[in-house]
Amino acid sequence: MGSIYNQIIDLETHWQGFNKKPFSKNDLIELAERNNIVVLKDHSVENACVFHYDGKKVVLYNPHQPDIDFTLSLGHELGHIGLGHVHPHSSPLHANFFSNSSIEKDAGIIGFLFWAPSSDLHQMDIVGRLNLEEIYNNCKDYRYGDIDGSDIEKICKARLRIYNALKRIKN
Ligand SMILES: [Zn+2]
């Protein structure tokens, strides 16, 4: 079993509802606060970033972004924290949804699971309807904001890739 898969199972236990239900902006902020993470608005960051300051983990986020970007970016930063990437002397980590570095990829996976939980995709899979259109329809109602079409497709494709990769690790 790959370690990211085991870490996801641990986070499902530690973070109530994670990867079982979609997280809204407020759900994410509440989860962060319950875990003593300081969450602050900052217009100077592109999406979000995370660092360690004065004994606390701090996430800065730009409030002017579509809901889906907010979920992916704040979820990504919580992923860095949950996966143990944030240390007292590490440099700030910025959300990059499509980076190839392994810690960025792993944090990105956590962000995507906050947005579209594996349980939803699994339901589509067992009835033979796991495809981009279904992922889009499942998530479009309150999680896209005003994001444009090409990004939605890219995000749905990334989510499907993550589902399939986790399924391969699990089996
Ligand atoms: Zn990152």
Side-chain angles (χ1 to χ4, degrees), residues 156-170:
C156 289
K157 276 184 182 159
R159 184 62 188 91
L160 186 56
R161 263 199 313 277
I162 291 165
Y163 179 82
N164 287 324
L166 292 175
K167 193 171 156 184
R168 277 195 302 275
I169 295 169
K170 182 183 172 183

Side-chain angles (χ1 to χ4, degrees), residues 84-99:
H85 302 160
V86 182
H87 307 288
H89 302 290
S90 53
S91 9
L93 294 164
H94 292 262
N96 182 342
F97 305 155
F98 303 108
S99 164

Side-chain angles (χ1 to χ4, degrees), residues 76-77 80 93-96 104 107:
H76 175 116
E77 304 308 357
H80 277 309
L93 294 164
H94 292 262
N96 182 342
E104 290 308 321

Side-chain angles (χ1 to χ4, degrees), residues 118-138:
S118 296
S119 48
D120 285 8
L121 273 69
H122 181 66
Q123 283 306 314
M124 296 172 202
D125 199 5
I126 57 179
V127 295
R129 295 178 64 93
L130 180 60
N131 55 55
L132 292 179
E133 200 182 342
E134 286 294 314
I135 295 172
Y136 171 77
N137 287 335
N138 187 61

Side-chain angles (χ1 to χ4, degrees), residues 29-45:
I29 292 173
E30 277 172 29
L31 176 73
E33 288 172 348
R34 272 203 308 279
N35 287 278
N36 299 315
I37 297 161
V38 178
V39 182
L40 300 170
K41 290 179 192 174
D42 187 327
H43 292 80
S44 71
V45 297

Side-chain angles (χ1 to χ4, degrees), residues 101-151:
S101 94
S102 76
I103 69 164
E104 290 308 321
K105 260 198 210 157
D106 287 353
I109 288 171
I110 303 302
F112 275 99
L113 300 187
F114 273 119
W115 167 63
S118 296
S119 48
D120 285 8
L121 273 69
H122 181 66
Q123 283 306 314
M124 296 172 202
D125 199 5
I126 57 179
V127 295
R129 295 178 64 93
L130 180 60
N131 55 55
L132 292 179
E133 200 182 342
E134 286 294 314
I135 295 172
Y136 171 77
N137 287 335
N138 187 61
C139 305
K140 71 173 188 225
D141 295 345
Y142 54 100
R143 272 164 287 157
Y144 284 105
D146 52 4
I147 197 164
D148 71 36
S150 61
D151 285 338

